[in-house]
Every structure is written in C-alpha cells, then in structure tokens.
Amino acid sequence: MIEAIIADRLTKHYGATMAVDTLQLHVRQGEFFGFLGPNGAGKTTTIRMLTGVVNPDEGNILINNFSIKDKSNIARTIGVLPESRGFYDWLTGAEYLDFFARLYGITERDSVAVLLERVGLTAQRKKKISAYSRGMRQRLGLARALINKPSILFLDEPTLGLDPRGQQDVQNLLRSLNQDGMTIFYSSHLLNEVSELCSRIAILDKGKIVAEGTLNELRQQADRQAGTLTDIFLTLTHA
Amino acid sequence: MPSIFNLIWSKEIREGLYTWKGLVWLVIASILFSFTSYLLLTNKELSLLDQAELLWLLSKIILVVALLIVTIDASMVIATEFEKETAESLFLAPLSIRDFILGKFLASFTLWLALFIVAVPYMLATSAGSHLAPAFLGYVLLLGSLGVIGFIFFIFALSLLYRSSKSTLTTSLMLLLAFTAPALFSSTLKTATVATTISKINPIDNIFSSLDNVLVDFQTTLSQNWQFLFPLIVFCLVTFVFLSFSISVFRRQGIIRNE
C-alpha cells in the first residue's frame, strides 16, 4: 500500500511546553483517517506541521513522497480546511473562490460554480462573505480546500458550526470524495462522526499517539471487548 | 496564467475600492491639498510669498501627507493578513513570500501614485506662469517615489516581524516623525557636526533639501541633486536589506509562529 502521509519523529515545542512529541504517523493513500485527541493534545499543531504551516523542531514529513519543504508540489497535492478560518469578508463567495482558483492557476470558468454547487452555496454565491453565517463560511472553507482537486484533504473540525442537515451534507460529500480515491485526514471532537466515517483512527494525548488502528484494534488497545469510540477515547486519554 | 504577485496586487486594489479605504485616503489628501493650495495662493497674491517658496512649501506638504498616508496603509496590508487569520489559507496555496511581498508592495506603491495624480492639478495650478512646472512635478515624483519605496520596505519588514498592525503602525509613525521633525528645523539649527551628519543621512531632510535646490536655487539636473539622491538610494538599499532579513526570519518561523 502506498503511503500518502509519513511523519517521522515529529517534534514541536512552544517554549517549555512539548506540543508534539516524536510523533510517528503513516496514512495510506485513499484512507479516511481520523485524528482525535483532547483539547491541547497537539492535533492542530500536528496538522499545521503536516501542511507546512508550522515548521517542526525535529522530524521529517513526506506527503505523497514530496518532502514538506517542497512547498510548490505540496500546495498542489493537498487541500486544507484549517482551524483558523479567516475570509476576505468584502468579497462574494464566488469571487473568493475565483481568487483562490487563480492562485492555483485554475482557469476553467465553471470550476467555481461546480464547487459552490457541491457545498450547497450556489444560491448565496453573490452574497458578500460578511453576510454569511458560520455554517456557510464553513462550507465555503471546504470549497476552497477542494479548489485544486487535491489528492489529500486535511480537515480540522470541518462540521463545527453546522446544523445537523449541514453536517449530514458534509459527511456525504466527504464519503463521496473518499470513494473517488481522495485521502482524508480528519480531525474532529465529534466522536460519533469519526467512528462512522473513518477507516482508521489515531488518538493523540499530550503530543503522543496513544493508540492507532481500526475501531476494533482500538478496542483491543484499550482492553475493552465492546464500547463506543467515546468509551475508548476516555479510557486511552484518561480525560 | 497571470503572475501570482499580480493576483495579490489586484486583490489589494479591489479591497481598497470595495471597502472605500483607498478612496477615503484620496479624498482626505484632496481636501488637504485644496486647503493648502488655497492658503498658499492667497499669500502669494498678498505678495507675502514668492512662487519658488510657495512651490517648495507645497511640495513638502504633498510629500509629508503622501508619506503619512502610505505609512498608515502599508502598516495594515501585511499585518492584517495575520490578524484576520487569512494568511494561513493564502500560504497554503502555491504562493511564495516573494510574490506576496511584491504584490503588497505594488499595491502600496499604487496608492502613492494615485496620491501623486491627485496632487498634480494643485501642482499645476500653483506653478502656473513659471518655468518650474516640469521640474516641480518630476522631482516630487522622483523624490517621493524613493522615499515611499524605502518606507514601504521598512514597514513590510516590521510587519513580518511583529505580525501586528498596531505595533507596525506605531513604530513606523515614530520613525516618520523622527525623520520629519528635524527636517523641518531651520538650517541655522543644523550647524553642529552631529546635526549636519544626521541631516545628511536623514531621507526626509534630503528630499526637502533637493526640492529646495530645484525650486528655490533652480538646480534642476540630476547631477546637481546627486548629493541628495544618493543618501535616498542608500536608504532604500538599507531598508531592502532589513526586509530581506525579515523574510528569512519569516521563512524560519513559519506562517504561524510559536505561540
């Protein structure tokens, strides 16, 4: 199986605080990979290192066999919905996506319309982003992450702020993208959502991976015969 | 495919127009130039001021107002990308820091050119009837451009280090004030060695001295003003080195730095 993401002994300190501690991670191509952890476990820092936004203190990262330092190839390979979600509020949704499409060198005129349709924002395409609700911004951020047709999608709390229907829509979209072969690296606090969507899950605690595998493998690692992902999470993280 | 810096440049221009920010600056400048020109022309008619002195005063006011506006605007253009959390998405795209800076630089320089264009009618009106109009316009554009380039480099360097518009603006305004205040002192206050040395390296002082040389003493060729242009070019080079240093710090720290 070809590896989409390889993180080798990834380490990051913030002053005296060890945010991520010699983290080892292997995500296969086409996998729907869940990334869990309590608040402050180092999830966002890990995602930021894997996407080249934060420089690790130590360790190596390979994304589709490109070194993380190869910024140009990495940017064309990955799509990211980051934790920080700033938008240019003075643009409309369509103008915003068009700006990012141009940054990626995408000139097909219908690509923005197709994406707006996919995330359910066609009716709001001419509205200024300043008038968007939190859920609409979330969908727009997801559309931006997909603008370059990435082979790996990093998502940090993608359904945050969405109503149940919105969550369902996003989950269906992600399932269909994964079925089309996209690797998805998915970080969320909604454990039901993660257990429904992800084929493999890693649990991070205090900057270290404490368990990794399928739901059944996680149960074994937590010494539980049965139980939900929430039970496993609480056992393994001592939260 | 358009150059990426072009996209950043056009985004900034559009933001200036969509949010009225850019237009507000031009209206403010226009009001200030109208008021100043009216006062100066009234004084001229009362024979309290000769035309060369009038042009020198107006050129100083135009350049100080333009530098002030460009300083305020340039202090925002980079830092707000970090403050409004738009930088992360921007740099996740295949955008290099070089294209980012170049696009932002062109946007700030465009604001200076727009301010210059707003000032042109006032410069033409005040220089009417004299042979100084071409030199007046040419030197305001040349000296203003050099000053603006140096200040933008300095402000962008600070923005990358601070990533805060408040800190960048405060420091930049203090530098502008530190350069402008001594330049407004009369030459009799600049006789001591320290004062003359500071005056020789102060970019604003050199801009004012060159304008004096051109408009009052009619020394209009570039070679006659080289002694003032050279320190301005050095100022631009020094601030460019500072910007290069800030870019290397930015690359080392990453788009989001240690919190």
Side-chain angles (χ1 to χ4, degrees), chain A residues 110-134:
Chain A
D110 62 343
S111 57
V112 167
V114 169
L115 268 179
L116 285 166
E117 178 72 40
R118 270 197 114 164
V119 298
L121 282 177
T122 302
Q124 289 83 22
R125 69 189 186 283
K126 288 184 179 169
K127 262 191 187 174
K128 289 260 190 285
I129 299 173
S130 54
Y132 277 24
S133 67
R134 191 172 172 181

Side-chain angles (χ1 to χ4, degrees), chain B residues 75 78-79 82-83 154-172 242 246 249 253 257:
Chain B
S75 299
I78 288 182
F82 296 100
E83 289 171 341
F154 176 79
I155 293 163
F156 282 6
L158 282 184
S159 295
L160 288 177
L161 294 176
Y162 286 149
R163 304 190 187 187
S164 147
S165 53
K166 268 187 197 166
S167 305
T168 305
L169 181 61
T170 310
T171 314
S172 305
F242 181 38
S246 294
V249 170
Q253 289 179 336
R257 62 181 170 192

Side-chain angles (χ1 to χ4, degrees), chain B residues 44-60:
Chain B
K44 187 190 158 204
E45 280 178 19
L46 293 171
S47 302
L48 297 172
L49 201 63
D50 75 358
Q51 192 163 22
E53 286 284 335
L54 180 153
L55 297 183
W56 185 47
L57 266 174
L58 181 65
S59 63
K60 288 202 290 188

Side-chain angles (χ1 to χ4, degrees), chain B residues 80-101:
Chain B
T80 50
E81 296 277 9
F82 296 100
E83 289 171 341
K84 293 186 177 173
E85 298 186 332
T86 47
E88 187 172 351
S89 307
L90 210 51
F91 283 106
L92 281 166
L95 171 71
S96 68
I97 180 70
R98 196 193 59 184
D99 282 329
F100 176 72
I101 294 289

